[in-house]
Amino acid sequence: MKKVLKGIGILFLILLIIALFVYFFVLQYPNLKENPTVGKWYRVTNSEMKTSEGGKYRCFFKKGSENKTMVYFAGGGVSINEETARDDTYNTKEIFIDMLANVTMNMGGIASEVEGSPFENWNIILFPYATGDFHAGTGEFHYTDHDGKEKILYHNGYVNYTQAMQIITELAGLNDPEAVVVTGYSAGGFAAALLSDDIFTNYFPYAKSKNVLVDASLLLHDDWQAIAADVWQAPKEISDKLTGNNLTLDCLAALRKKYGDDVHLLFDCSTRDGDLAKVQNYFDTGVMDVSEKEADIYQQILKDTIPQFQEIDVSLFIWDGVAWYDDPRNMTAHTIIATPAVWLPFEEQKQSVSGWLVDAINGKLNDYGVDLVDKQY
């Protein structure tokens, strides 16, 4: 009997592995067609859309039953120089785009089909990340890899985005939505800041409720403008906005200046974001590592930036209570909108990030957790 049960267990494990392989690596969404079916996901691609290694890039679209649209940028790091271009991570290496889309759409965050989600009937445009340029580049970055071979990293994010938006708006008929949310996490949050003006200007200028939610995207660098212009070759109207060392602040300030009270600007972050503290340390010292010291530095950066956000009426949600992976040091989690935690009220704030966003869409803008930047950890 034990042998039979063991055999059944092995067979079940094999079938599970096969099922997971098919789900993550083989499953392909159908190409977007004219008059798409409500509630169905489609992929969007053409010959001009490509990943960092020149492979086929595709974004994903779901038609909703409501005249409301979410533009969602996935994250995953950034390439700013030859050293980071060599980094063997998915921000600069071609990956299974369908796999990333499956994870993003099904891990329980705001793009997932969660029962009772206020966004379940919205149109959703989802951009996986595969170009290392905050979805904003148009160029080719030449570099030498670890083996001494000459290679090209295609910073094609802006091309991918514009091609997809043109296809989707034409085939799906996304005209004058009542509400638009442009959002993203990590590198995708920077993309939301960088590309929101382009979205509102070129695709949804008449949306009654315009909203931008930047999730866990705050890094200081003195050369953001040069990186955007020279490394990514972002459009000039985007790179010219980057006048200081805070890319997110520059972009949100430009949005406020252009749209006034007609746009709702939102920013969320954990107090001691371990991933952002690590990247900030690389920007500052050239070392991609993190300790509680770097977390202290990041908490101070967040504290110093909050008054600047408040000066341009950015609604804030600062949170903690979620550890940075399973690290025992005093660091907090990186990003929230792609996780089930987006729906859960925090004890101190007595509000969830999703509830905060829904309130903002309806014109109710509030700050939560701002005092946490003074907390001793």
Coordinates of all heavy atoms in Angstrom, one line a residue, residues 12 16 84 103 127 169 172 189 194 204 217 266 286-287 306 311 329 358:
F12 N 1.6 12.4 -9.1 CA 1.0 13.7 -8.9 C 2.0 14.9 -9.0 O 1.7 15.9 -9.6 CB 0.3 13.7 -7.5 CG -0.3 15.1 -7.1 CD1 -1.5 15.4 -7.6 CD2 0.4 15.9 -6.3 CE1 -2.1 16.7 -7.3 CE2 -0.2 17.2 -5.9 CZ -1.4 17.5 -6.5
L16 N 2.0 17.9 -11.6 CA 2.0 19.2 -11.1 C 3.1 20.0 -11.7 O 2.9 21.2 -12.2 CB 2.2 19.2 -9.6 CG 2.3 20.6 -8.9 CD1 1.0 21.4 -9.1 CD2 2.6 20.5 -7.4
T84 N 25.7 47.9 -15.0 CA 24.4 47.4 -14.8 C 23.8 46.7 -16.1 O 22.9 45.9 -16.0 CB 23.4 48.5 -14.4 OG1 23.6 49.6 -15.2 CG2 23.7 49.0 -12.9
V103 N 2.3 35.9 -13.6 CA 2.6 36.2 -12.2 C 2.0 37.5 -11.8 O 1.3 37.6 -10.7 CB 4.1 36.2 -12.0 CG1 4.4 36.6 -10.6 CG2 4.7 34.8 -12.2
F127 N 2.0 46.2 -18.8 CA 3.3 46.2 -19.5 C 4.4 45.5 -18.7 O 4.8 46.0 -17.7 CB 3.8 47.6 -19.8 CG 3.1 48.4 -20.8 CD1 2.0 49.2 -20.4 CD2 3.4 48.3 -22.1 CE1 1.3 49.9 -21.4 CE2 2.7 49.0 -23.1 CZ 1.6 49.8 -22.7
T169 N -5.8 51.2 -28.3 CA -6.8 52.2 -28.4 C -7.6 52.1 -29.7 O -8.8 52.3 -29.7 CB -6.2 53.6 -28.3 OG1 -5.1 53.7 -29.2 CG2 -5.7 53.8 -26.8
A172 N -9.5 48.2 -29.5 CA -10.4 48.0 -28.3 C -11.4 49.2 -28.2 O -12.3 49.2 -27.3 CB -9.7 47.8 -27.1
G189 N 6.8 52.0 -11.3 CA 6.4 53.2 -10.7 C 7.1 54.4 -11.2 O 6.5 55.5 -11.5
L194 N 7.1 58.9 -15.3 CA 7.6 59.4 -16.5 C 6.6 59.5 -17.7 O 6.7 60.4 -18.5 CB 8.8 58.5 -17.0 CG 10.1 58.6 -16.2 CD1 10.9 57.4 -16.5 CD2 10.9 59.9 -16.5
F204 N -5.7 59.7 -23.5 CA -6.9 59.9 -22.7 C -7.0 61.3 -22.2 O -7.1 61.6 -21.0 CB -6.9 58.9 -21.5 CG -6.7 57.5 -21.9 CD1 -5.7 56.7 -21.3 CD2 -7.5 56.8 -22.8 CE1 -5.5 55.4 -21.7 CE2 -7.3 55.5 -23.2 CZ -6.3 54.8 -22.6
S217 N 8.9 53.9 -5.6 CA 9.8 54.4 -6.7 C 10.4 55.7 -6.3 O 9.9 56.8 -6.7 CB 9.1 54.5 -8.0 OG 8.4 53.3 -8.3
L266 N -0.4 60.3 -6.4 CA -0.3 59.5 -5.2 C 1.1 58.8 -5.2 O 1.6 58.4 -6.2 CB -1.4 58.4 -5.2 CG -2.8 58.9 -5.1 CD1 -3.4 59.0 -6.5 CD2 -3.7 57.9 -4.3
G286 N 28.7 52.7 -5.3 CA 29.2 51.8 -6.3 C 29.1 50.3 -5.8 O 29.5 49.4 -6.5
V287 N 28.5 50.1 -4.6 CA 28.4 48.8 -4.0 C 27.0 48.4 -3.9 O 26.1 49.1 -3.3 CB 29.0 48.8 -2.6 CG1 28.9 47.4 -1.9 CG2 30.5 49.1 -2.6
I306 N 9.3 63.9 1.8 CA 7.8 64.0 2.1 C 7.4 65.5 2.0 O 6.4 65.8 1.4 CB 7.5 63.4 3.4 CG1 7.4 61.8 3.2 CG2 6.2 63.9 4.0 CD1 7.1 61.0 4.4
E311 N 4.3 69.7 -0.8 CA 4.3 71.0 -1.4 C 3.6 71.1 -2.8 O 3.0 72.1 -3.2 CB 5.7 71.6 -1.6 CG 5.8 73.0 -2.0 CD 7.3 73.5 -2.0 OE1 8.1 72.9 -1.4 OE2 7.5 74.5 -2.7
R329 N 17.0 41.7 9.6 CA 17.4 43.1 9.9 C 16.2 44.0 9.8 O 15.2 43.7 9.2 CB 18.5 43.5 9.0 CG 19.8 42.7 9.2 CD 20.8 43.0 8.2 NE 20.4 42.5 6.8 CZ 21.1 42.7 5.7 NH1 22.3 43.3 5.8 NH2 20.7 42.2 4.6
V358 N -8.9 54.2 -4.3 CA -10.3 54.3 -4.7 C -10.8 55.7 -4.2 O -11.5 56.4 -5.0 CB -11.1 53.2 -4.2 CG1 -12.6 53.4 -4.4 CG2 -10.7 51.8 -4.9

